[in-house]
Amino acid sequence: MPSAIARQLRVAVIGTGPAGLSSAIALSELSDIDLRVYEKAGELKNLGAGISVNHNGWKVLELLGIRDRVNGASTNPTVQRNAYTGEIVDPGVPHDPNNAYEARRVKRLVLQEALAAKVPEDVIEFNKKLVGLEDLGKDGVRVSFEDGTETIVDLVVGADGIRSVVRRHMVPDYALDYAYQVGWRCLIPAERLKHIPDLPLTTTSWWYGRAKSVWLSPLDADVSNLTDIEFTARVFNEPPIPGKTVSWGIPVTNEDVFSRFRDCDPRLVEVFKQVPEGNWTEFAAYAGPVPDSLVAWDKLVLIGDSSHPSAGGFGSGSAFAMEDSWTLARSIEYARLITAPDAIQSTVAEALRIFNAIRRPYYQAMADFRKSQKEVLKEVGRKEYVDFDSDLRKRFARDGLGAKRGKGFLAFVYDHDIGKTWKEFVECDQARRKGINGYAQADA
Ligand SMILES: Cc1cc2nc3c(=O)[nH]c(=O)nc-3n(C[C@H](O)[C@H](O)[C@H](O)COP(=O)(O)OP(=O)(O)OC[C@H]3O[C@@H](n4cnc5c(N)ncnc54)[C@H](O)[C@@H]3O)c2cc1C
């Protein structure tokens, strides 16, 4: 077994979203690493309102050592309603206080602060926009920034989101598709909604209309002391507007959003009226294929949204990003054990091979599932309803709007335990290396 390595492994992480911050945590815990994180913005961005943390999210937060710093409101029960009449079409399943891994809705800022607090001081450099990468062969990768500076590293971690510059260097002709879906998100102080009769704020509610939906959710673990309510409105047949439709968080006016929801239940209309002007941000959804490989040059790796642009699909992108980060750190650690200590290049190459073998099939399975659902969603977007309410009730009775239809698959996504997946990989790889059934194999 190797005992020491010749020099530090030089790593540049690009981006400070959930992927960049979590990789900074996981990688900084490895020995002999020279880690820098580069972000094009001048500070950490606080975009969006809430995020769902499911079983998969809690598991990886535990592995990153920040589970205790993250909490939110249980999403059970999620009450499903007709957006026009407000009538309940499905009451949801009860909250289970004994389930430590129950899905919760968490303030995005809470997750970001928990991640940021565990990143070592001084590793992040702001106002550093990546513009170029050059493969220097055995010498590493030249990383160039818009401000004219550059650095040379052994590994570049592309945590630079859905419009990744790192991905563009790996797959120059990669194209994103607009998914004809737009979401608007904001937080409303709970005090502004308490006067609305029969509008429960302590549980999540989802209101469905024709090709649109609205979501209201508490975000506080202690729902007896509510601060903000998350409000999300979505449409599923929004044509693109050249020059306007962008992927992330542009400010829009109250009227922009409300104009599409005037015909809703009066309680919802009142909620729209209570949004403080300037609170809404718009999120147009884009998707693209999973690249043939998540790694390139034996020196580049894509993690988080850069590796699987999925139109916000599965509402679990932060968890996927954190799983990637943790897996990448484990892959480097493991590769160091099975490659020569002074061969940084082959260590990185082996680590990336392992990472790709574990994570790419996972994302491909999600992409395949999304594809299988595309026609169903298109139908929901275009459908002419004769009796909307009975149609909605039938849909819930039949498949719970997809939850029952995709039950096995969605469990594969939301109930995933990356620690278990990693353990299985190591057991399998070690068995292969030792030789199974008496057939000895080369040791590495
Ligand atoms: C409408 C919507 C709802 C969602 N709901 C949920 C949810 O409920 N739960 C959940 O877990 N996920 C949810 N997601 C997904 C989640 O927000 C993303 O998956 C997650 O933010 C991805 O993290 P990331 O770090 O990969 O990318 P990002 O968060 O996009 O971060 C990328 C970072 O890279 C920086 N960057 C980009 N280019 C460069 C460059 N050239 N140089 C330097 N820096 C650069 C950016 O400034 C940014 O800081 C949702 C997404 C959408 C759109």
Side-chain angles (χ1 to χ4, degrees):
M1 278 292 146
S3 54
I5 62 171
R7 65 167 172 81
Q8 290 193 316
L9 174 67
R10 301 163 302 176
V11 182
V13 173
I14 312 296
T16 57
L21 292 177
S22 57
S23 61
I25 295 172
L27 295 174
S28 67
E29 286 170 358
L30 299 177
S31 59
D32 298 303
I33 194 145
D34 174 7
L35 174 71
R36 305 301 300 163
V37 180
Y38 300 100
E39 167 59 53
K40 69 177 177 182
E43 58 186 358
L44 291 183
K45 282 190 285 181
N46 174 28
L47 280 172
I51 59 156
S52 298
V53 181
N54 297 283
H55 181 275
N56 55 343
W58 294 124
K59 283 283 173 186
V60 71
L61 285 167
E62 279 177 356
L63 294 167
L64 291 171
I66 55 171
R67 155 105 210 210
D68 293 346
R69 300 186 197 187
V70 181
N71 208 347
S74 167
T75 55
N76 289 328
T78 296
V79 178
Q80 318 281 353
R81 292 172 182 262
N82 177 321
Y84 306 108
T85 64
E87 279 179 32
I88 294 174
V89 295
D90 189 316
V93 297
H95 167 47
D96 177 0
N98 298 317
N99 179 2
Y101 300 99
E102 192 179 39
R104 286 180 179 266
R105 200 75 189 161
V106 171
K107 277 186 191 163
R108 208 181 169 86
L109 189 61
V110 168
L111 176 66
Q112 189 185 54
E113 284 178 348
L115 289 166
K118 210 163 180 233
V119 174
E121 264 181 49
D122 300 331
V123 300
I124 303 179
E125 291 185 38
F126 291 103
N127 298 309
K128 283 281 181 191
K129 182 176 180 182
L130 171 77
V131 289
L133 296 171
E134 184 189 349
D135 188 355
L136 301 176
K138 64 179 177 32
D139 293 327
V141 191
R142 188 192 315 279
V143 183
S144 309
F145 300 99
E146 197 179 47
D147 62 5
T149 59
E150 55 183 46
T151 184
I152 293 174
V153 296
D154 304 299
L155 170 63
V156 175
V157 180
D160 50 346
I162 190 163
R163 293 174 199 282
S164 169
V165 173
V166 179
R167 191 184 60 226
R168 205 184 309 145
H169 282 80
M170 291 169 55
V171 193
D173 58 353
Y174 189 91
L176 286 172
D177 277 331
Y178 173 57
Y180 285 78
Q181 294 174 34
V182 174
W184 296 272
R185 321 186 106 199
C186 71
L187 295 178
I188 310 179
E191 283 305 318
R192 293 181 75 127
L193 303 178
K194 286 186 176 160
H195 67 284
I196 305 174
D198 192 24
L199 182 75
L201 297 176
T202 54
T203 53
T204 301
S205 58
W206 207 324
W207 309 60
Y208 291 94
R210 296 177 185 84
K212 61 188 174 192
S213 69
V214 169
W215 152 281
L216 275 169
S217 180
L219 298 168
D220 300 291
D222 177 6
V223 290
S224 66
N225 190 16
L226 291 173
T227 56
D228 294 309
I229 299 296
E230 180 185 18
F231 191 29
T232 302
R234 297 174 87 163
V235 294
F236 301 102
N237 55 0
E238 184 85 353
I241 303 174
K244 175 176 180 289
T245 312
V246 298
S247 77
W248 265 118
I250 57 164
V252 286
T253 66
N254 284 12
E255 181 53 27
D256 262 351
V257 188
F258 180 51
S259 59
R260 296 160 171 92
F261 295 89
R262 281 183 208 290
D263 54 355
C264 287
D265 180 275
R267 284 169 289 182
L268 274 189
V269 168
E270 182 59 19
V271 177
F272 276 98
K273 288 186 177 159
Q274 291 301 325
V275 176
E277 190 66 64
N279 267 26
W280 281 117
T281 42
E282 181 174 293
F283 298 84
Y286 284 79
V290 182
D292 289 343
S293 174
L294 306 183
V295 303
W297 306 354
D298 286 343
K299 302 174 188 91
L300 309 182
V301 58
L302 300 176
I303 66 167
D305 276 11
S306 67
S307 73
H308 60 279
S310 63
F314 305 106
S316 209
S318 303
F320 303 151
M322 295 187 289
E323 289 181 333
D324 283 348
S325 297
W326 187 82
T327 306
L328 180 62
R330 295 293 71 72
S331 301
I332 294 172
E333 199 172 50
Y334 190 71
R336 279 177 166 174
L337 296 174
I338 58 175
T339 54
D342 54 350
I344 284 187
Q345 260 183 297
S346 47
T347 300
V348 173
E350 180 64 13
L352 297 192
R353 187 196 64 73
I354 294 169
F355 175 88
N356 194 52
I358 294 174
R359 295 304 280 168
R360 195 190 173 283
Y362 191 63
Y363 288 132
Q364 187 59 52
M366 279 184 225
D368 293 344
F369 179 76
R370 259 175 46 80
K371 205 168 165 195
S372 75
Q373 301 301 296
K374 214 171 169 178
E375 285 312 309
V376 180
L377 286 173
K378 264 194 198 157
E379 188 202 329
V380 172
R382 290 189 197 132
K383 194 167 171 125
E384 300 286 336
Y385 295 93
V386 180
D387 179 348
F388 178 76
D389 189 73
S390 74
D391 198 279
L392 189 63
R393 284 173 197 278
K394 268 189 224 147
R395 259 158 63 201
F396 271 99
R398 193 184 65 221
D399 61 32
L401 215 83
K404 288 179 199 160
R405 190 175 55 239
K407 202 162 187 243
F409 184 78
L410 294 176
F412 162 78
V413 174
Y414 298 121
D415 296 347
H416 190 223
D417 178 347
I418 190 65
K420 191 160 164 264
T421 298
W422 176 256
K423 196 162 165 266
E424 284 164 5
F425 161 78
V426 171
E427 281 167 6
C428 192
D429 193 65
Q430 288 184 347
R432 186 182 64 81
R433 279 169 195 285
K434 280 184 192 141
I436 44 175
N437 298 333
Y439 291 96
Q441 295 186 359
D443 188 31

